[in-house]
């Protein structure tokens, strides 16, 4: 996920709450309070991979 934040051309970057994402990434894996925190990050990564693979851009 940190690669997505570092890549300015990442398609999902405008959809992410940067501060919230960085906070979740700084939290140790076992310490996350809710499963949806982790699954939300994984969904963003999957969406980013799909958008990049099909050269799709988001106009926000």
């Amino acid at each position: 996920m940190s690669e997505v934040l570092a890549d300015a051309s990442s398609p999902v970057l405008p959809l992410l709450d940067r501060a919230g994402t960085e906070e979740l990434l700084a939290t140790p894996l076992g310490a996350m309070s809710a499963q949806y925190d982790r699954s939300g990050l994984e969904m963003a990564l999957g969406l980013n991979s799909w958008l990049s693979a099909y050269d799709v851009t988001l106009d926000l």
Side-chain angles (χ1 to χ4, degrees):
M1 183 51 116
S2 56
E3 296 87 21
V4 173
L5 292 176
D7 182 5
S9 66
S10 182
V12 297
L13 196 57
L15 301 174
L16 296 176
D17 170 14
R18 187 174 194 95
T21 303
E22 289 173 348
E23 182 180 338
L24 283 173
L25 288 173
T27 305
L29 286 177
M32 288 191 181
S33 61
Q35 184 178 353
Y36 64 83
D37 290 341
R38 177 70 183 202
S39 61
L41 288 174
E42 291 175 5
M43 190 179 344
L45 285 175
L47 179 60
N48 189 69
S49 296
W50 184 88
L51 292 170
S52 296
Y54 291 98
D55 198 26
V56 175
T57 58
L58 300 174
D59 295 326
L60 301 175

